[in-house]
Structures are given as C-alpha cells and as structure tokens.
Amino acid sequence: MSNEEEKIRIGKIRDGALSMQVGDENDGPISGMVSVANIDMYIIKKCAIYRTFLADEIDPERTNSNIPNGYQKIVSQGSESETVARSFLTVNVLFNSNQFDGEIDLKRVMDLSIVVMKELLAAQTIERDLITEQERALSAFQQPKQRSLALPSVEGLNESLKTFVQKIEHATQAIFAFTQQFYGHREKMWNGFETEIQQLYGATDEFSKFVGSMTPFMVFIRNLRNCVEHPKGAQRVVIEDFAITAVGTLTTPTVEVVHAATPQPKMEVSSFLPQVAGQILDIFEVLMIHLASKHIAPFGKFEKTVGFLPPDQIAGDSKVPASYFIFFNGRWNKVG
C-alpha cells in the first residue's frame, strides 16, 4: 500500500464517528463539556475533569493508524467542587462566551485558569491534611502524669506550610498573568496593575477601587513566599508546633510572618490556611466579574452587566454563580 493510500485509509478511520469512554464510575456523571477555541476539549464530571485529545493531535500527518484518541485527567475534582466552579468554570462562562467582547488569547486564559484551579486545590489538600493531623494529635493528648507531659506534634508541619505557601503564590502568579491578557502592564507586579487600572478608568471607578483593595493582600502573598524561600532576620516565617504555656494551657500550631511591610501576627495554622486560600479564590472570582464587565458585547440599546446569581437561581449541576445579565421588562434577567 502506498503512503497516499495509507493516509486515505487512516483518514477514513479518524474522520468516522467518534465514541469514547472517559474516566470511570468513581468520577460520577458527566455534567458538561468545555470547548476552547476549537483546540481543547474538556469533559466535566461530578468529581473529575478530563482533557480529551484526538489522534490527529499526536500524528497530524496521519502516518500511523495505531495512534488512538484518548483523554487525561486534569484534576480529581469536578462540577461539585466550589473551587472548580469559581475558577475554571467561571472563566468558561464569562470569557468563552459571545457575551464577551474583548480581544484575548482564549486558550491562554483558560490554561491560566486551570493553573489557578490546580494550585488552589493542591493548597486546600495540604490544608485539610494538616488540620486532620492536628486533630489526630490533639485527640491522642493526655494530661500530665507524675509531672511528665508528652506534647502532641504535627509531623511535617514546616514542610507542609512551605509547600502551601508555594502553591498559593503560584496561584497568584497565574492570576497576575491572567490580568496581563487584558491589559498591558509589565512592571511592578500588582502595584503596576493597580496604577494602570486607575489611569484607564479613574480612581472612583468600582474596578479601580476593587484592585486597590486587593493589591495589599496580593503583595502580602508575594512577600510571604519570599519569607519562606529567602528567610533572614527581618523577613521570615515563624512556625510553632503544639506548645504549653506558663499557665499550663496547651496551644495549637501557629504561624507568624515577620516582614517590615506586610507582617502577620501569630495566628493559628488551622485558621490561617483556609483564610488565605479562600481570599485568593474570592479575589480571582470578583476580578473576573470586573474584567468581563469592562468587555461586554453590546446588544442594541439594552443595558447589560455582569454579576452573581442569587443562590436559588444557580442551575442544577452548576455551582458557577457568575453570569451576564440584561435589563429587560423592568428587571435584570440572566443571559444564557
């Protein structure tokens, strides 16, 4: 068989009807699909997300008939995850939509949202594991016997906290790169972004005020990373395991950030971790609302906006609260 005949044969195979079993029953049912710029296809299941690929992606010249179509798991969380819904799936709703009127590299934007999602999910796993280990150690604690006390401890506390900080800082880096897909700022990181938005829209604009409010926290996260990776006298993180006070009280693990510009007083690890990860997700979600609101596709004389759905209006399998709205018949109506 000639090369040309072989290509024709392979073409008939690959251009025929496609059927693929993605994942297994442990992932739950399929709740949706996300197509990105005719390049990537994601299958969203209840407890997992998969990226599918076709044989032509691997063998575009169609030289090997044995190359299969396939799929790869992206994360072991799916549509039931609040983090997935408020990051990757929100990006899909707001920017992979004909309601959006900006000029962006959609694939790059979606890829960055996946980075944010994966890093936050990884950070939350560390958070859960640390809190579980802390609770286990605390449950095994016994009162002193014969003036001797066995203090509980959280194994790997320092290493886990360092990894947690790295994960959340990677998430904020991806969020910063996300903003660069919409605006041209390249210097001074978050302070540079704040300056550009204020110059574009004015200091009293709601987007400008939001960016001004989020910048100190994002700078804190960057400084926190530096404290962990480049510690020195006035720039470090102080981590303490279980301890006993002079009055005989048992204290749980704490973390303190020593930094001239962005200090954080001593705080319980079990409170610090979820607050930090949660605030990053909050910031990313609201940031997306503002970015989309500045790039809404017009629809005649009708007024349009972007905002959050009331909890009772969020669709069945979806936990995505963000939506476009149009003002019609005297009220705001969800678009799509």
Side-chain angles (χ1 to χ4, degrees):
M1 183 181 295
S2 69
N3 289 341
E4 189 60 33
E5 289 173 330
E6 176 66 3
K7 282 190 175 183
I8 293 173
R9 186 181 74 84
I10 294 173
K12 289 180 179 179
I13 295 172
R14 294 188 185 175
D15 294 336
L18 172 63
S19 177
M20 186 188 305
Q21 175 69 39
V22 177
D24 56 39
E25 64 275 5
N26 294 323
D27 301 325
I30 292 176
S31 55
M33 293 184 289
V34 173
S35 177
V36 181
N38 295 319
I39 300 173
D40 292 328
M41 173 66 77
Y42 296 94
I43 306 298
I44 315 301
K45 304 188 79 175
K46 184 178 180 180
C47 300
I49 298 177
Y50 292 87
R51 177 185 175 272
T52 63
F53 59 86
L54 300 179
D56 277 356
E57 186 177 327
I58 300 168
D59 177 34
E61 298 301 319
R62 297 187 166 181
T63 61
N64 187 346
S65 61
N66 294 320
I67 299 296
N69 302 316
Y71 61 89
Q72 184 176 44
K73 182 181 284 188
I74 301 301
V75 290
S76 296
Q77 297 277 349
S79 58
E80 73 169 5
S81 164
E82 183 178 323
T83 299
V84 170
R86 295 172 61 198
S87 56
F88 175 64
L89 295 182
T90 292
V91 172
N92 180 58
V93 166
L94 295 182
F95 305 108
N96 193 8
S97 164
N98 58 12
Q99 304 300 323
F100 176 73
D101 195 32
E103 294 184 4
I104 57 171
D105 180 342
L106 180 59
K107 175 172 168 51
R108 176 65 173 154
V109 163
M110 296 298 290
D111 286 348
L112 286 168
S113 75
I114 289 174
V115 174
V116 176
M117 173 183 69
K118 292 174 74 171
E119 297 292 353
L120 287 179
L121 287 172
Q124 290 166 354
T125 297
I126 295 170
E127 168 199 322
R128 286 193 299 270
D129 290 348
L130 271 179
I131 292 175
T132 298
E133 177 63 18
Q134 176 177 307
E135 291 173 346
R136 182 205 61 76
L138 192 58
S139 67
F141 173 67
Q142 296 182 353
Q143 293 298 324
K145 295 180 179 180
Q146 299 178 343
R147 298 184 60 79
S148 177
L149 174 68
L151 271 177
S153 64
V154 176
E155 186 174 351
L157 176 62
N158 288 39
E159 295 78 8
S160 295
L161 271 174
K162 179 177 180 180
T163 304
F164 174 87
V165 169
Q166 290 170 334
K167 292 296 181 183
I168 60 171
E169 205 276 330
H170 290 163
T172 62
Q173 284 188 33
I175 294 172
F176 182 76
F178 189 94
T179 67
Q180 290 180 311
Q181 306 308 304
F182 299 82
Y183 301 100
H185 53 288
R186 292 292 180 270
E187 299 178 357
K188 298 182 180 180
M189 285 293 291
W190 294 106
N191 291 314
F193 177 50
E194 179 183 2
T195 298
E196 176 163 356
I197 295 304
Q198 289 186 350
Q199 289 176 345
L200 280 171
Y201 303 118
T204 60
D205 180 82
E206 290 302 317
F207 188 18
S208 297
K209 289 191 285 187
F210 169 73
V211 173
S213 69
M214 69 174 240
T215 295
F217 179 76
M218 301 304 254
V219 172
F220 165 76
I221 295 298
R222 188 162 182 81
N223 290 341
L224 175 61
R225 191 282 308 268
N226 290 335
C227 288
V228 165
E229 296 188 350
H230 310 289
K232 49 190 176 184
Q235 175 183 290
R236 68 190 192 280
V237 172
V238 180
I239 302 168
E240 295 182 359
D241 208 327
F242 283 97
I244 193 80
T245 68
V247 296
T249 303
L250 180 70
T251 61
T252 56
T254 59
V255 57
E256 177 185 0
V257 181
V258 178
H259 192 281
T262 54
Q264 170 60 52
K266 183 183 292 187
M267 183 176 180
E268 289 186 341
V269 168
S270 59
S271 296
F272 179 78
L273 301 188
Q275 286 188 30
V276 168
Q279 191 162 346
I280 291 172
L281 183 58
D282 290 345
I283 284 173
F284 187 42
E285 183 179 43
V286 178
L287 177 65
M288 287 188 284
I289 292 288
H290 283 290
L291 288 170
S293 72
K294 294 300 185 185
H295 302 87
I296 298 177
F299 186 71
K301 295 182 179 180
F302 291 99
E303 188 179 358
K304 294 173 67 177
T305 190
V306 186
F308 293 112
L309 289 163
D312 62 345
Q313 292 184 25
I314 298 176
D317 288 338
S318 173
K319 290 191 175 183
V320 178
S323 179
Y324 286 95
F325 296 87
I326 187 168
F327 196 75
F328 182 69
N329 283 341
R331 64 186 180 91
W332 289 105
N333 298 271
K334 179 179 180 293
V335 178

